[in-house]
Amino acid sequence: MGARPRVFATRRLPGAALERLAGAVDLAVWPRPEAPSPGALADGCRAAEGLLCLLSDRIDADLLAAAPRLRAISSCSVGLDHVDLAAATARGIPVGFTPGVLTETTAELALGLLFAAARRIVEADREVRAGAWTEAWDPTGLLGRDLHGATLGVIGLGAIGRAVATRAGALGMRILGWSRSRRAVPGVESVELDALLERSDFLSVHVALTPETRGLLGPRALGRVRRGAILVNTARGEIVDEAALADALRSGWLAGAALDVFACEPLPAGSPLLGVPNLILTPHIGSATVATRARMADLAVDNLLAGLAGRPMPHCANPAEGS
Ligand code: DGY
């Protein structure tokens, strides 16, 4: 039997996937809860043939140069904006990712944030805890907005955007959709981005972060959004210009927003977003359920083992290398 391939995993993962991996490879796991620094990541990868990483690990050309033996990368994420795919492909390294298994879970969080922002749930909880619930039933207190009968604009009609559209349709919302590929989706009226911004009462962001979508919702786009709309972003922080969003919320142009993703994660302690009114903040928990995180870890390990064995990865982002 030949030597087992050396693998570096940048974090402990939930479920039993890492035990399965450890049964097949010579595994080193970064022991701390926080991400390794770029230097520690490079050290971990120096002798590794396989890398199991997360979306918070930057896998760029410098890292690949520090990892001469690397021949399979697997990210426990559906997004791959943290990986220089072109550099990996140039080295002939397949890159695995985890689409499908987190679709419904992330769609549920987007819906949860829509409800929370529309019905001011976080604000209401704060009021009760602060002892500010003084009227038994206040006919004018904490009035929110109905989802049923309102129009939801879904920006990006990939699997998660479509799952949000299906659920929102079942709530009685009218659905507008925009995707760069002009994808036709049953139950969704496909429109240009500007029309979607102008006609939607609620907006939910589901495009991948690419050079084309970075800053997609900047000052111009937010200026076109219908006055009083509510925005939810569970995709990637850099798609929405945070300063422009803060201005739109402070001026009352947007009635509310909920962000699960940020340009800089974790959100720095002094972030101006912390003081913005009508803004709900959650710490990138779109896929954070017990079952889904275990499925992601399993799929990430399946991808890595396939790549190391020279087999097609079940989900490979640069298929010429991995299938
Ligand atoms: C991903 O996998 O890219 C998600 O953002 C994790 O929730």
Side-chain angles (χ1 to χ4, degrees), residues 63-241:
L63 188 273
L64 294 181
R69 302 183 62 200
L70 203 58
R71 53 191 178 85
I73 297 173
S74 176
S75 182
C76 188
S77 66
V78 65
L80 280 178
D81 44 283
H82 57 298
V83 179
D84 185 337
L85 213 49
T89 304
R91 272 271 303 272
I93 302 175
V95 177
F97 67 134
T98 63
V101 293
L102 48 68
T103 300
E104 278 79 19
T105 301
T106 306
E108 285 175 6
L109 184 80
L111 262 293
L113 292 177
L114 273 177
F115 276 116
R119 297 301 304 276
R120 303 170 62 181
I121 292 172
V122 176
E123 196 184 335
D125 174 87
R126 277 200 210 109
E127 274 203 24
V128 174
R129 290 173 198 281
W133 184 16
T134 50
E135 277 291 310
W137 190 82
D138 180 355
T140 60
L142 284 169
L143 301 185
R145 302 259 299 277
D146 288 321
L147 294 185
H148 67 271
T151 298
L152 172 67
V154 180
I155 299 173
L157 291 168
I160 298 172
R162 296 198 304 276
V164 167
T166 305
R167 284 156 180 74
L171 295 172
M173 300 188 85
R174 201 172 313 111
I175 314 297
L176 305 179
W178 173 82
S179 66
R180 283 167 39 80
S181 61
R182 304 285 184 274
R183 189 193 285 262
V185 176
V188 176
E189 183 188 344
S190 175
V191 294
E192 294 298 325
L193 183 59
D194 279 353
L196 180 145
L197 299 173
E198 287 161 12
R199 289 172 54 196
S200 299
D201 304 301
F202 295 88
L203 299 151
S204 193
V205 181
H206 300 288
V207 284
L209 177 62
T210 65
E212 292 77 29
T213 62
R214 180 171 276 110
L216 182 71
L217 298 184
R220 192 202 73 86
L222 292 176
R224 291 201 89 106
V225 167
R226 172 179 282 199
R227 189 180 177 88
I230 287 176
L231 171 80
V232 169
N233 186 9
T234 53
R236 284 292 184 269
E238 286 157 280
I239 297 161
V240 178
D241 180 322

Side-chain angles (χ1 to χ4, degrees), residues 12-25:
R12 296 198 182 96
L13 296 176
L18 281 192
E19 283 165 34
R20 183 160 61 88
L21 183 62
V25 304

Side-chain angles (χ1 to χ4, degrees), residues 242 262 264-272 274:
E242 290 175 351
F262 304 88
C264 178
E265 298 180 0
L267 196 61
S271 167
L274 293 169

